[in-house]
Amino acid sequence: RLVGDPMFEIVAKRAMDKLWELRDVKTGLIGNVFNTKTEVWDDPMSGIGAGIDSYYEYLLKSFILFGDEEDLSRFSTYYDSIIKHMRKFSIQDDNMSELDKPHYFANVNMKTGKLHNFWIDSLSAAFIGVQILHGDLEAAILHHAFFYGLWLKYDALPERYNWHLKKM
C-alpha cells in the first residue's frame, strides 16, 4: 500500500503467516534462524534481540499502520509468551513486588521455554519501544531500568552482556 505495488504486501503477509504457522504450539514462541528450503528452525533460540527483534516490532507496527486486527492478536499472543517464558528479574528480593523489579528478557529454547544461554544483546533494548507502543508502560519502564543500569556501569550498552556472570 505504501509504494502502490500490492506484491510487496502480499509477500510480506505470506511470510508473516508462515512464521505464525511455524511457532511452537506449546510455548507460542518462534526461533531465531529459519531455513526456508527445509522449513525447519536451524536455531531454536527465541529472544527479543538480534535476528528476531524486528519481527515483533513489524507485527505491532503493521497493526498500527494498517489496522489489521489479526496482526494485533498475533502480537499480543507472542507478547504473552515472551513475558511468560523470557522475563527474568535482575533483583532477587522477595519483599519487592514483580511490578517493581527491573527485568530483562533471557534467550530461551522455543520448544521448551527453558533457558538457552546466559547473554542478552544490545538490540534487545529496542523492545522497550515496542512495549511502549503496546501500552505496557510500567513493564517498559522496568525493562529500561535494567538497561539504564548497564549504561551507568559501562558508559554505553555492551553489544552482548552475560547476565549470569554480570559482565560483558
Side-chain angles (χ1 to χ4, degrees), residues 53-84:
D53 58 319
S54 296
Y55 175 70
Y56 301 120
E57 177 186 353
Y58 293 166
L59 194 56
L60 181 58
K61 286 182 176 178
S62 176
F63 163 72
I64 293 167
L65 187 60
F66 302 118
D68 186 341
E69 293 291 332
E70 183 178 56
D71 290 339
L72 178 61
S73 175
R74 288 178 177 182
F75 173 82
S76 296
T77 300
Y78 282 129
Y79 189 75
D80 291 346
S81 294
I82 289 167
I83 296 295
K84 178 179 180 181

Side-chain angles (χ1 to χ4, degrees), residues 3 29 46 48 87 100 107 115 130 133 138 142 148 162 164:
V3 296
L29 299 171
S46 189
I48 59 166
R87 184 173 62 177
D100 297 324
N107 297 314
L115 189 62
V130 175
L133 284 175
E138 293 297 322
L142 293 169
Y148 182 63
N162 184 315
H164 182 70

Side-chain angles (χ1 to χ4, degrees), residues 59-123:
L59 194 56
L60 181 58
K61 286 182 176 178
S62 176
F63 163 72
I64 293 167
L65 187 60
F66 302 118
D68 186 341
E69 293 291 332
E70 183 178 56
D71 290 339
L72 178 61
S73 175
R74 288 178 177 182
F75 173 82
S76 296
T77 300
Y78 282 129
Y79 189 75
D80 291 346
S81 294
I82 289 167
I83 296 295
K84 178 179 180 181
H85 296 289
M86 297 181 201
R87 184 173 62 177
K88 307 292 181 206
F89 298 101
S90 58
I91 296 175
Q92 303 304 321
D93 183 345
D94 293 335
N95 296 319
M96 289 179 72
S97 160
E98 286 186 1
L99 301 174
D100 297 324
K101 292 180 182 179
H103 60 263
Y104 55 92
F105 293 92
N107 297 314
V108 300
N109 182 295
M110 68 172 276
K111 297 179 184 305
T112 64
K114 296 198 183 304
L115 189 62
H116 188 81
N117 57 42
F118 293 109
W119 55 262
I120 57 172
D121 60 54
S122 59
L123 283 178

